[in-house]
Amino acid sequence: MSETEDHPGDRPPSAGPLAHRVPDLGALQLLLAVARLGSLGGAARELGITQPAASSRVRSMERQLGVALVDRSPRGSRLTDAGALVTDWARRIVEAAEAFDAGAQALKDRRDSRLRVAASMTIAEYLLPGWLLALRAERPDTAVSLLAGNSAAVAERLVSGEADVGFVEGLTVPAGLDSAVIAHDRLIVVTAPSHVWARRRRPLAARELAATPLILREEGSGTRQVLDAALGGLARPLIELSSTTAVKAAVVGGAGPAVLSELAVGEELALRRLVRIPVDGVALARDLRAVWRTGHLPAGPARDLLSLTRG
């Protein structure tokens, strides 16, 4: 041990956690109120506590500091010389705490003034608009930006910090993300009314669907992932497109069959612009999930949006 190195016994008695040696903010605010009002009872009423509680807090502060702070008498309470000095220090601490609180609130307000949402295409097109309208009614001052892409792109944006919360349709949760199931969906086979499958009397077999070139979403999309897993592989795509709307338009135009979310084709089925084709031996149900970075639970407007998805 060097000559300049302290021995444990040489340290001053004040060493140790600062929080153990400095009165808490509530006690310091009470002392400031006593100084301003000249009355312990008046200070207690201003702070919304009982006079016995105020007296106990002052005594505790005096024991902690080792000096008398307040002289009590029937005519009121006045600060001792030490109490007046401690009050000056307390005022600076309370002012610094108020500045800290104002700064923290400003950070929270800035966070709550914007919300960045990343969503896979089906959710972005058919579910999010309703959720965002409901959020706007609750938080009219929050500016929302929507980044739409496939499930892989949503994961990338969340992990990189470009989005606060995301929504995906795939079978698995991407690495680095936590999730919660918010809804359920089903994929269905659809064709134009003119397609040969529209005149079938029997359901398609899973192997026939797998062997048929389809109009597909691109690799990385939740729809493509679910379909590939359900069929154990797919034939070469007839066409690959990057949005549900584009796939749907191609099918309506007679380009070929596709497998799409039931959410996306309700209107077209009702108008007979598309025909639903039954399939045997294949499960195409899927969960829709909210996702966020692991260890970063959604807060503020992101938390409120998640609550609306489950309403």
Side-chain angles (χ1 to χ4, degrees):
M1 182 180 293
S2 70
E3 293 182 2
T4 59
E5 189 172 350
D6 287 342
H7 292 270
D10 295 334
R11 292 174 186 160
S14 60
L18 187 62
H20 293 172
R21 307 194 310 274
V22 177
D24 63 44
L25 281 173
L28 297 179
Q29 287 177 308
L30 174 62
L31 187 61
L32 291 174
V34 171
R36 187 174 66 258
L37 300 173
S39 164
L40 190 61
R45 286 191 296 275
E46 181 175 274
L47 297 178
I49 60 177
T50 65
Q51 184 162 341
S55 296
S56 175
R57 186 169 289 184
V58 169
R59 287 194 298 271
S60 177
M61 187 166 30
E62 289 174 331
R63 286 195 300 271
Q64 185 177 19
L65 297 176
V67 294
L69 301 173
V70 178
D71 280 334
R72 305 159 186 84
S73 74
R75 295 186 301 276
S77 302
R78 69 173 189 85
L79 298 179
T80 64
D81 291 343
L85 184 59
V86 170
T87 300
D88 285 340
W89 298 336
R91 186 172 293 107
R92 297 177 211 168
I93 294 172
V94 170
E95 287 172 353
E98 289 171 346
F100 179 93
D101 180 60
Q105 186 61 44
L107 286 175
K108 180 179 179 296
D109 290 344
R110 186 172 70 181
R111 179 203 69 190
D112 290 355
S113 69
R114 68 168 188 171
L115 174 62
R116 301 167 302 166
V117 182
S120 53
M121 297 302 298
T122 300
I123 295 176
E125 291 179 282
Y126 300 101
L127 292 176
L128 257 177
W131 297 338
L132 294 180
L133 281 174
L135 180 68
R136 183 169 182 77
E138 291 189 3
R139 286 181 169 270
D141 296 329
T142 296
V144 179
S145 60
L146 172 59
L147 305 167
N150 61 36
S151 295
V154 171
E156 289 173 6
R157 283 175 169 144
L158 286 165
V159 171
S160 68
E162 296 176 55
D164 304 306
V165 65
F167 298 94
V168 296
E169 309 152 9
L171 288 173
T172 59
V173 179
L177 301 181
D178 290 334
S179 74
V181 175
I182 56 165
H184 304 283
D185 186 26
R186 183 182 293 106
L187 299 180
I188 61 174
V189 179
V190 292
T191 70
S194 59
H195 193 275
V196 63
W197 284 358
R199 297 186 291 276
R200 289 179 65 104
R201 293 180 180 271
R202 293 181 300 169
L204 280 173
R207 64 179 180 277
E208 187 177 359
L209 180 62
T212 302
L214 302 171
I215 303 170
L216 295 173
R217 285 287 309 280
E218 79 287 3
E219 290 187 8
S221 74
T223 299
R224 179 78 170 263
Q225 183 187 91
V226 171
L227 182 59
D228 189 47
L231 296 176
L234 294 167
R236 179 177 298 178
L238 183 64
I239 311 173
E240 282 186 324
L241 297 169
S242 61
S243 77
T244 300
T245 299
V247 172
K248 188 165 56 174
V251 180
V252 169
V259 178
L260 288 170
S261 165
E262 202 169 33
L263 294 169
V265 295
E267 181 179 351
E268 288 76 13
L269 291 174
L271 296 174
R272 292 290 297 173
R273 298 174 66 199
L274 290 177
V275 177
R276 178 174 183 164
I277 309 301
V279 182
D280 272 347
V282 58
L284 293 174
R286 62 180 179 175
D287 293 329
L288 306 182
R289 298 175 179 272
V291 287
W292 56 88
R293 277 194 298 161
T294 299
H296 293 76
L297 280 173
R303 179 190 59 232
D304 292 347
L305 178 60
L306 287 191
S307 70
L308 292 170
T309 67
R310 298 164 179 165

